[in-house]
């Protein structure tokens, strides 16, 4: 996981340092493997079928899925680097996106449910996702591809902070 700091304006204009945490490299490996696992067999099947039924010249269209792999490989890297989150005093900040940058602020006191999920592919790569549910569906958020220990730690911490904030502590 990558971490970094960035300043944010705090109370009375004071500069408050927040620690950004990036996603583990395993998420990038998983996404790239899925890209190749889906598109390379598709290219091979397309090439064989077009060569058999339409002629060898048409088999060149099988290069299109391979072009998507060549384009998607670096794009997945850029997307992976754009994901980060910061645990602040009163809220969780999630930032993502390359062309369209999105930042989601989830106040601890508004959280109703924090889930840790892990599908079969994520489990194979040793990853889990944290899903945050709030009273307003627009502020629901998700952090994909965390290590299971980090996902559970984050779930426990966010649940604890959410309960404390909703109780007025």
């Amino acid at each position: 996981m990558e971490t970094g700091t960035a300043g944010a304006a705090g109370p009375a204009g004071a500069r408050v340092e927040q620690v950004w945490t990036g996603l583990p490299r395993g998420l990038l490996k998983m996404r790239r493997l899925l890209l190749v696992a889906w598109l390379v067999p598709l290219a091979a099947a397309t090439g064989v079928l077009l060569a058999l039924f339409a002629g060898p010249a048409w088999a060149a269209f099988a290069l299109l899925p391979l072009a998507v792999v060549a384009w998607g490989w670096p794009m997945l890297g850029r997307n992976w680097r754009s994901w980060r989150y910061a645990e602040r005093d009163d809220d969780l900040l999630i930032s993502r996106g390359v062309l369209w940058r999105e930042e989601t602020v989830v106040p601890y006191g508004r959280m109703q449910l924090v889930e840790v999920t892990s599908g079969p592919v994520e489990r194979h790569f040793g990853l889990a996702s944290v899903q945050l549910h709030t009273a307003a569906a627009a502020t629901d958020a998700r952090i994909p591809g965390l290590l299971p220990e980090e996902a559970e730690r984050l779930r426990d911490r966010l649940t604890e902070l959410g309960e404390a904030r909703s109780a007025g502590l």
Side-chain angles (χ1 to χ4, degrees):
M1 280 192 277
E2 297 179 357
T3 59
T5 59
R15 207 79 178 142
V16 176
E17 290 296 316
Q18 57 194 17
V19 177
W20 288 100
T21 305
L23 300 182
R25 194 157 192 84
L27 178 65
L28 177 61
K29 289 177 184 176
M30 179 188 76
R31 288 180 174 174
R32 283 180 170 168
L33 179 67
L34 289 174
L35 177 75
V36 170
W38 280 101
L39 293 179
V40 169
L42 176 67
T46 302
V48 168
L49 291 174
L50 286 174
L52 288 175
F53 295 112
W58 288 95
F61 280 104
L63 295 175
L64 289 175
L66 297 179
V68 172
V69 169
W71 173 80
W73 191 273
M75 292 301 111
L76 286 172
R78 289 182 65 191
N79 180 269
W80 169 75
R81 282 188 300 276
S82 75
W83 276 87
R84 58 191 187 155
Y85 64 95
E87 298 173 58
R88 303 191 305 183
D89 291 338
D90 296 320
D91 51 38
L92 178 71
L93 181 61
I94 302 169
S95 178
R96 66 197 169 281
V98 177
L99 292 177
W100 285 272
R101 199 96 185 115
E102 283 186 50
E103 286 194 355
T104 305
V105 178
V106 184
Y108 297 135
R110 306 283 258 149
M111 284 188 232
Q112 293 182 333
L113 176 67
V114 181
E115 292 180 293
V116 173
T117 60
S118 185
V121 176
E122 283 180 312
R123 277 196 308 274
H124 178 76
F125 282 89
L127 301 171
S129 296
V130 174
Q131 178 74 40
L132 308 160
H133 299 279
T134 63
T139 57
D140 282 3
R142 181 175 175 272
I143 304 173
L146 297 173
L147 298 174
E149 306 81 43
E150 172 64 7
E152 290 171 10
R153 182 202 66 80
L154 194 57
R155 177 200 58 210
D156 294 343
R157 176 165 158 64
L158 296 175
T159 302
E160 180 183 309
L161 288 168
E163 289 172 355
R165 293 298 191 280
S166 65
L169 301 176

